[in-house]
Amino acid sequence: MEILWFLIALCMLAAVVGPFVLRRRGGIRLAAPGSPDAADPDAYGFARQEELDIRLPGPDQDLLDVLDVVQRSQDWRAASQLLAGTPKEGEVRWQRVQAFAGAASLELAQQPGVGGAWLRAWRAEAPKDAGGAAVHAEFLVQQAWRSSTAGTDDFRIILEEARTVCGEAALLAPGDPVPYLTELAVSRGLGYSHEEFDQLWAKVMDRAPAHMGAHIAALHFWCEKWHGSREEADRFATAAAARAPQGSLLAALPLFAVYEHLPEVNLVQGFYRSAVVTKAVEGALFAVHAARPDDPMLAHVRHLLVLFLVRMERWPEAMAQLVHIDGHVGALPWTQGPDPAAEYAVYRALAVAGYEANGGTPATLPH
């Protein structure tokens, strides 16, 4: 019986991995590193795996400079000044709040009881600072998901505190959608009813109706693995894409819905060429082409496209996305795993190998 189960598992593994290891058309074979037949990402100017920045999906030098100052000096004032000068209505403020909270959370994980002292000082010394309250609320959310298990008492206690701090942050910054965006993650963890969630979502829409980050956070709530279903998530994403203003990346939201409902193990050979996946990918590509080059959410969409385009064997299009995002990997789908840089590097290597196996070279890759 053990042998039978082993053979079944071996067949399933071959069905999943086999298509990437060998193609009858396209000639992709895995080669040993250093082999003259091995595709080399370095030839395209891509960053080495150890140089990939896992903190951000794309460049934000002002944020990185301030983070360096804050973590070196343990003085929160530079972070406060940066957030005070970041417009409330855009996506950048939300990303910077997440980055500061993530930095404090990671510090605490690395140095229990000591790390992240600058955030504690920020809240103690400037309790009316709206930026500090927003970062504190997001910090608590990240701590709940990182340090405890969903559904446990510890998890709920941390998220209840996060909800309280979200309320404080909202009072300190009327019109700022960020505290309500943070509460979207709280709602998922605490299991808000659909009516409670709708009330929260209405507050977000009143302040930022085209906010891509907010829609991605809300989509998680409606997914099958949380408090909705595949149909509800698809309906939410499709409706948002349909009402997206010109140039908005909301047209890419259905691709995020597809990603959230990918099967754990895919044994259907044509799944990534199915009508549902193809339509979602085409919608995301359209959104990318129509978006402003400086849209802070553009990198998020490009990262997710890389995963799908590689699995669809659309090598030139995958390479075209990599040219724009390489160097930063702090985004879905890579952050779902324990080593985002390694996960990204695997897909990048597959894209390079597929591109070269079909006649592509560094000289033919458009930039």
Side-chain angles (χ1 to χ4, degrees), residues 308-328:
F308 280 93
L309 291 169
V310 166
R311 291 186 178 183
M312 297 168 83
E313 301 176 36
R314 292 167 61 167
W315 314 116
E317 291 167 292
M319 292 293 287
Q321 303 307 317
L322 288 168
V323 166
H324 290 284
I325 60 173
D326 193 72
H328 298 84

Side-chain angles (χ1 to χ4, degrees), residues 42 57 74 85 90 93 114 122 144 182 186 206 210 222 225 227 237 253 260 275 278 309 336 347 364:
D42 286 350
Q74 290 296 297
R93 183 177 176 84
V114 178
W122 189 356
T182 302
V186 174
D206 284 345
W222 292 114
K225 58 189 172 185
H227 307 295
L253 198 63
E260 290 295 335
T278 299
L309 291 169
Q336 291 291 90
Y347 276 83
T364 61

Side-chain angles (χ1 to χ4, degrees), residues 87-172:
K88 296 177 182 178
E89 62 274 6
E91 307 269 358
V92 175
R93 183 177 176 84
W94 170 229
Q95 293 192 19
R96 287 176 173 176
V97 165
Q98 287 182 303
F100 284 128
S105 181
L106 187 58
E107 278 186 37
L108 186 60
Q110 294 171 341
Q111 304 174 55
V114 178
W118 54 269
L119 178 56
R120 292 192 291 276
W122 189 356
R123 291 293 282 144
E125 295 169 18
K128 300 299 183 182
D129 188 306
V135 173
H136 184 201
E138 174 63 23
F139 166 81
L140 289 169
V141 167
Q142 293 192 27
Q143 279 297 104
W145 294 101
R146 178 174 286 158
S147 64
S148 54
T149 304
T152 62
D153 288 342
D154 287 347
F155 181 79
R156 293 191 65 85
I157 288 171
I158 298 173
L159 285 187
E160 290 286 2
E161 184 180 356
R163 177 162 58 181
T164 299
V165 180
C166 284
E168 296 173 5
L171 289 174
L172 291 170

Side-chain angles (χ1 to χ4, degrees), residues 187-205:
S187 72
R188 179 161 50 102
L190 292 181
Y192 282 21
S193 69
H194 287 189
E195 291 74 20
E196 290 174 318
F197 183 86
D198 286 341
Q199 291 172 11
L200 172 60
W201 185 240
K203 295 175 183 177
V204 175
M205 288 295 93

Side-chain angles (χ1 to χ4, degrees), residues 49-93:
Q49 181 177 326
E50 61 271 20
E51 297 171 345
L52 294 169
D53 192 327
I54 66 172
R55 296 171 295 178
L56 299 172
D60 184 343
Q61 196 57 50
D62 288 343
L63 171 63
L64 294 178
D65 290 344
V66 169
L67 262 177
D68 180 60
V69 169
V70 169
Q71 293 186 304
R72 221 173 351 96
S73 67
Q74 290 296 297
D75 188 336
W76 52 269
R77 289 174 179 81
S80 176
Q81 290 171 3
L82 182 65
L83 287 181
T86 305
K88 296 177 182 178
E89 62 274 6
E91 307 269 358
V92 175
R93 183 177 176 84

Side-chain angles (χ1 to χ4, degrees), residues 7-31:
L7 291 174
I8 291 173
L10 192 62
C11 289
M12 292 176 69
L13 182 62
V16 175
V17 177
F20 288 122
V21 177
L22 178 63
R23 302 284 178 202
R24 277 178 292 197
R25 292 186 305 160
I28 300 177
R29 292 178 181 274
L30 296 182

Side-chain angles (χ1 to χ4, degrees), residues 291-303:
R292 300 188 331 270
D294 62 345
D295 191 314
M297 292 302 293
L298 188 54
H300 287 270
V301 181
R302 290 189 188 278
H303 279 289

